[in-house]
Amino acid sequence: AQSVTQLGSHVSVSEGALVLLRCNYSSSVPPYLFWYVQYPNQGLQLLLKYTSAATLVKGINGFEAEFKKSETSFHLTKPSAHMSDAAEYFCAVTGHGSSNTGKLIFGQGTTLQVKP
Amino acid sequence: DGGITQSPKYLFRKEGQNVTLSCEQNLNHDAMYWYRQDPGQGLRLIYYSQIVNDFQKGDIAEGYSVSREKKESFPLTVTSAQKNPTAFYLCASSLRTGHGETQYFGPGTRLLVL
């Protein structure tokens, strides 16, 4: 069974600083991995998605994530934080297999605070 | 514009009352999903539908019911059997179910108990 762990429920950075949000997954089969962002009282918006085509995935708003199979990680980074990046971020996994229904397994979420 | 709409934005439920949350999509997607979001718990799958007139229970289906009579619509009913319904409900859709399909989310409905 697949699972996702996001390390750190809250992360605080200064504007202009590096953003690093951690995600580790557990999967017995090659996974598909997603990062979504949620602004207050809104739905989720896809940031990026890993589908095994390339280990470094570039997404919207300057975010990227690197798939590391040996570490079972898919951490999200952005070189320079902007105030508008303040939101909640979710890592999710779905796997292969005959019983797979495309169900997304979500992590608990990480709230990113950006200080001026 | 293509997208997913949910209504209402806020919904209040009295004790013993059933309430229905609306979800409509014009993306021509086959698959639709309902998730429940509670603070600090991520999103949990309630029900999903792979095709019209078919739906399956997710991880927390007790106290909820759905229908899928039209491709565009997937309403969720929160029944009186759901003892703790206060949450943010999110509807999503994807072109089809299966490996790696991207799910697109609606804006959500916040359900509160009076």
Side-chain angles (χ1 to χ4, degrees), chain A residues 11-57:
Chain A
V11 171
S12 182
V13 301
S14 298
E15 191 174 19
L18 172 71
V19 175
L20 171 61
L21 304 182
R22 300 178 186 273
C23 173
N24 288 87
Y25 70 91
S26 171
S27 178
S28 58
V29 295
Y32 289 104
L33 292 155
F34 303 79
W35 275 100
Y36 284 88
V37 61
Q38 183 181 34
Y39 299 99
N41 291 312
Q42 294 187 26
L44 274 66
Q45 180 182 8
L46 180 70
L47 277 176
L48 49 82
K49 167 182 168 181
Y50 168 74
T51 61
S52 77
T55 57
L56 183 62
V57 183

Side-chain angles (χ1 to χ4, degrees), chain A residues 4 28 46 82 103:
Chain A
V4 173
S28 58
L46 180 70
H82 191 272
K103 184 174 86 169

Side-chain angles (χ1 to χ4, degrees), chain B residues 3-41:
Chain B
I4 302 172
T5 58
Q6 292 186 240
S7 62
K9 188 173 176 66
Y10 295 94
L11 185 57
F12 298 90
R13 193 191 93 163
K14 296 179 181 179
E15 291 288 338
Q17 186 182 39
N18 292 354
V19 292
T20 298
L21 285 62
S22 170
C23 177
E24 304 276 334
Q25 54 96 2
N26 61 5
L27 300 168
N28 201 32
H29 284 175
D30 282 329
M32 297 186 75
Y33 309 79
W34 274 106
Y35 292 90
R36 171 179 170 142
Q37 185 179 18
D38 296 280
Q41 294 192 45

